[in-house]
Amino acid sequence: MAAPPKYQKVNDIESDEDSYADNMPSILKASQDAYPSRDLGQKAWFRRPSVFWLLPVFLLFSMGMGATAMPKTNVLISLLCRNILSSQALLNKTTQHTRRHDGASMDGMSPNNTASPIIIGDHNAQCSIQEVESATAMFTLYGNLIAGILGAIANPIWGSLSDKYGRVRPLAAASTVVLGSEIVMVLIAKLPDAISVNWGYIVYFLEGLSGTFILIMALASSYAADCTNDSERNIAFGWFHGSMFFGMATGPVLGGYIGMIGGKSRPMLILYTALIMRVVGIIYLLVLVPESHLHRQKLTGPAIMKTKEYIAKVSHQTWIEKVQSANPLQILSSNSTTDKDVRRNLLALACVNTIMFGAFMGAMSVMMLYSEFTFGWGNKESGIFLSIVNFFRTLASALVLPLAIHFLRRFFYPSRLPSSRNPTRGFDRLDLFLIRISILSDIVGYVGYATSPTGALFTLSGAVAALGAIGLATSEASMTKLVGSAQTGELLGALGFLQAMARVVVPTVATFTYSRTVARVPQLAFWGLAACFVAAGVSTFGARLDGNVGSDESEDAVLLQAWED
C-alpha cells in the first residue's frame, strides 16, 4: 500500500529547494527508477550511458547522408541517361543529316554532346534533356514510395525491438541494413554494364527496411530519453536534431571537397568515403556505446524455439486480436493507457509532430523547383540556400533551444515537483509554449516563401522558418515524458510510422499541386503548407495540462507523492 499523501506549505519555491531534497527520498528513488542512467552512477564513466556517447556517431551518419545525397542522385541520372541516349542513338544518326544546317540534335543539343562519355555519378551536360529528367523523376517517385511504405511498416517493429533488446543493437542492425543499400549503390555505379539500373530499387527497398533516417532519429531519441530526466530531455533531443541539420548543411560541402581531391572530379570517392564512415559508425556503436535501456531482455534460447513459441501464440488468437497486435499505432489507442489526459496529450502531440514533419518534407520537394523557376537559381545558389537554412536549423536546435529553456524556466516557467494529481508528468506549459512559438515561426516563414519577390528575402524566410526545428524536438521529447522507459521505443516507432506516411503523402501532394499551378500561381504550394502549420497550431489546443498548475491551491501547497517500494 502506498503511504497517504503529505503536504508541505510553500511560500517560496526557490528557498525550499533544500527541504525538498531532505524530505522527498521516495521521489528521488522514483526518479532513479525512471531514468536508468542514475542507477549507473557507481559504474566507470566509459560504461555509463550518455547522449554524448551517441552524438558523434549520429553526426557521422548525418554527414555521410548529406555528402552522398547528390552523388546517389547523379548515379541514377547518369545510368538512366546512358540507356535513353543509347536507345536514341540510331534515331539521331538517321535524322542527323536533316538538321546539320542548324547544328542541333533532336533534343536541341550539339550532336557531339550525345557522343561525349558519361561519367557515372557526376553531372553530365548531355543528360540535361527532358526525357532523362522525366525518367529520373518517375524512378525516384517509385523508389520513394517503396522506401516510405516499407519504412512505415518497419519503424514500429524496430521501435518495439529496442524496448525488448536495448537501443544500441537495433540501431547497429538498422545501420547495417543501410550499409547494405550503400554497397548496392556502389556496385551499380561501378559495374554499369553488368548490373541494371533497376537494381536501384533494391537500394530503396533496403533503405525502407532499415526504417530510413526516421528510424535512426527515433532510436537515438529513445537512447536520449533513457539517459535524461524530463527537464533535460528537450535539450538532448535538440542536440540530436541539431546534429542532423548540421550534417545536412556540411555533408554536401564535405562531399564536394572529397570528390575534387587531386583537382579531378571523383564521385565514386565520395561513395567509398561514406561506406567507411558507416562501417566506423557501426563498430563504434557495438564496441564503445554503452546500453541505456537496462530493462531489456537478453537474447537467450534457440531462435527456432522462440519462433515456434511466437507462432503458437499467434495461432490461438482471433483475427481481431491479430489485427490489434499488428496495429502500429496501438500505443496511441484508447486501450494503451488508463489515463485519459495522457491519451489526449499523446494524440495531440503526435498530430502536431506529424503535420510539422510532413510540411517540412513537402517544402523540400517544392522549394528547389520554385526557386529555380522564380529566381533563376542554379546548383550553386540552391546549395548556398540549403546550407544557410540548415545552419540556422542547427543553431535553433542546439543553441537557441537550450538557452530558451534555461531563461524561460528561470523566470517564467519554474519546474514543478512530481504529483499524482498531475497525470501529464513532465509535460508542462513551457513545452507547449515552445511548440506554439516554433509553429508561429514556421507560419511566418512559409508565408514569407510565398510572398518573397527576391532570392534574398526567400533565404531570410528560410532562416525564420528554421526556428520550427524547435517544435519537432520539443514535441518528440514531450511525448516521451508521458510514457515509461519500457514503452519509449514503441512510442517513437509509432511516431516514425506516422512520419513515414507523411513523408510519402505530403511531398506527393505538394509536388502535384505545384505542377498544376506553376503557370498561374506557383506560390500556392507554400500557402497550402502554411495552412498545414496553422492546423498544427490548432492541434496544440487539444493538449491538456494539469489543471492544478497555476491555480491558487498549487501556490499554497505542493503534493509530496509517496511511491510504492
Side-chain angles (χ1 to χ4, degrees):
M1 292 291 294
K6 304 176 183 179
Y7 290 85
Q8 176 185 2
K9 186 73 175 180
V10 177
N11 296 320
D12 187 349
I13 293 179
E14 294 184 357
S15 64
D16 286 350
E17 287 181 350
D18 293 337
S19 63
Y20 292 160
D22 295 336
N23 299 325
M24 296 175 60
S26 57
I27 288 182
L28 292 178
K29 179 181 182 299
S31 298
Q32 291 174 354
D33 292 338
Y35 311 114
S37 61
R38 296 189 180 184
D39 293 334
L40 300 175
Q42 302 301 321
K43 291 191 175 183
W45 63 270
F46 55 87
R47 297 183 61 188
R48 207 174 302 156
S50 169
V51 294
F52 296 108
W53 280 113
L54 200 58
L55 275 174
V57 68
F58 188 81
L59 179 60
L60 189 68
F61 287 162
S62 299
M63 293 182 68
M65 181 177 66
T68 58
M70 187 55 67
K72 286 181 178 179
T73 303
N74 285 336
V75 167
L76 296 177
I77 292 175
S78 55
L79 292 175
L80 291 170
C81 180
R82 272 169 44 107
N83 294 343
I84 292 173
L85 294 184
S86 296
S87 64
Q88 290 182 348
L90 180 60
L91 180 61
N92 288 341
K93 183 177 180 180
T94 58
T95 59
Q96 183 176 343
H97 69 278
T98 63
R99 292 173 283 105
R100 281 182 179 172
H101 64 279
D102 58 4
S105 64
M106 229 173 78
D107 45 61
M109 297 176 60
S110 170
N112 294 330
N113 284 345
T114 57
S116 301
I118 296 176
I119 302 176
I120 304 300
D122 203 355
H123 175 71
N124 299 277
Q126 64 269 41
C127 295
S128 299
I129 59 176
Q130 181 179 352
E131 291 85 350
V132 175
E133 292 288 335
S134 177
T136 304
M138 294 305 299
F139 194 97
T140 54
L141 173 62
Y142 293 143
N144 286 327
L145 285 174
I146 293 172
I149 294 174
L150 277 177
I153 297 173
N155 268 287
I157 298 174
W158 284 108
S160 297
L161 288 175
S162 75
D163 286 335
K164 293 181 179 179
Y165 304 119
R167 317 300 184 193
V168 175
R169 281 180 288 186
L171 183 56
S175 300
T176 304
V177 178
V178 177
L179 176 65
S181 71
E182 293 175 343
I183 291 175
V184 174
M185 178 59 72
V186 169
L187 291 176
I188 295 174
K190 194 66 177 176
L191 305 171
D193 296 323
I195 300 178
S196 170
V197 67
N198 291 326
W199 278 48
Y201 290 120
I202 299 179
V203 175
Y204 286 107
F205 176 85
L206 293 175
E207 181 184 346
L209 197 63
S210 70
T212 70
F213 72 93
I214 296 175
L215 177 75
I216 303 299
M217 174 63 76
L219 293 180
S221 299
S222 299
Y223 189 96
D226 295 336
C227 300
T228 57
N229 55 34
D230 289 349
S231 62
E232 300 169 344
R233 196 161 301 167
N234 291 13
I235 298 175
F237 277 49
W239 284 340
F240 281 110
H241 280 78
S243 297
M244 180 184 69
F245 292 129
F246 182 79
M248 294 171 62
T250 60
V253 178
L254 176 64
Y257 175 78
I258 294 174
M260 290 302 297
I261 291 179
K264 182 181 178 180
S265 180
R266 304 174 187 270
M268 291 301 300
L269 186 58
I270 304 175
L271 298 180
Y272 295 149
T273 303
L275 282 179
I276 296 174
M277 293 170 68
R278 183 71 59 178
V279 171
V280 170
I282 293 172
I283 296 175
Y284 177 92
L285 281 171
L286 295 175
V287 175
L288 295 179
V289 179
E291 179 57 60
S292 65
H293 189 45
L294 299 186
H295 303 291
R296 67 188 188 278
Q297 300 176 7
K298 294 184 177 180
L299 291 170
T300 57
I304 297 178
M305 183 66 68
K306 290 181 178 293
T307 303
K308 289 182 178 180
E309 292 176 358
Y310 175 78
I311 295 175
K313 177 182 177 181
V314 173
S315 63
H316 290 85
Q317 292 179 338
T318 64
W319 67 271
I320 297 179
E321 291 174 337
K322 292 178 181 178
V323 171
Q324 290 177 343
S325 62
N327 179 15
L329 303 179
Q330 187 174 8
I331 192 170
L332 302 177
S333 66
S334 58
N335 296 326
S336 62
T337 177
T338 58
D339 193 285
K340 63 180 182 179
D341 284 337
V342 171
R343 294 197 304 267
R344 180 189 183 108
N345 289 344
L346 283 176
L347 289 172
L349 291 171
C351 184
V352 169
N353 184 275
T354 303
I355 293 174
M356 293 183 68
F357 181 84
F360 169 74
M361 297 301 297
M364 294 296 293
S365 66
V366 174
M367 203 171 293
M368 295 299 98
L369 297 174
Y370 176 83
S371 60
E372 180 178 351
F373 175 78
T374 305
F375 308 119
W377 284 1
N379 291 335
K380 178 181 178 181
E381 292 81 4
S382 298
I384 293 174
F385 169 79
L386 289 176
S387 295
I388 291 175
V389 171
N390 285 316
F391 175 74
F392 276 99
R393 286 175 181 153
T394 302
L395 288 181
S397 300
L399 183 61
V400 176
L401 178 58
L403 292 177
I405 290 176
H406 177 77
F407 176 79
L408 294 173
R409 186 70 75 189
R410 181 177 179 86
F411 296 103
F412 298 98
Y413 298 96
S415 299
R416 299 286 176 175
L417 294 172
S419 168
S420 63
R421 299 166 67 182
N422 181 7
T424 61
R425 299 173 67 181
F427 176 54
D428 60 12
R429 297 185 185 277
L430 175 58
D431 297 321
L432 202 57
F433 174 78
L434 291 173
I435 293 172
R436 287 172 176 169
I437 286 295
S438 67
I439 291 175
L440 179 61
S441 70
D442 272 319
I443 294 173
V444 173
Y446 279 75
V447 170
Y449 283 144
T451 58
S452 295
T454 64
L457 290 177
F458 191 81
T459 304
L460 179 61
S461 299
V464 174
L467 289 175
I470 293 176
L472 283 174
T474 303
S475 58
E476 291 178 11
S478 299
M479 292 180 69
T480 64
K481 299 175 185 178
L482 300 173
V483 299
S485 176
Q487 291 182 298
T488 300
E490 181 183 358
L491 172 65
L492 293 178
L495 185 62
F497 171 85
L498 295 175
Q499 291 179 345
M501 295 304 297
R503 181 195 177 197
V504 173
V505 174
V506 180
T508 302
V509 173
T511 304
F512 177 80
T513 301
Y514 178 77
S515 66
R516 292 294 183 177
T517 61
V518 63
R520 300 184 303 275
V521 190
Q523 304 89 351
L524 184 61
F526 290 113
W527 287 110
L529 293 172
C532 290
F533 285 109
V534 172
V538 173
S539 299
T540 62
F541 292 95
R544 176 174 295 176
L545 299 175
D546 182 18
N548 295 318
V549 175
S551 64
D552 294 337
E553 182 181 356
S554 66
E555 294 295 332
D556 295 334
V558 174
L559 178 63
L560 303 184
Q561 174 66 35
W563 300 77
E564 292 183 344
D565 291 334

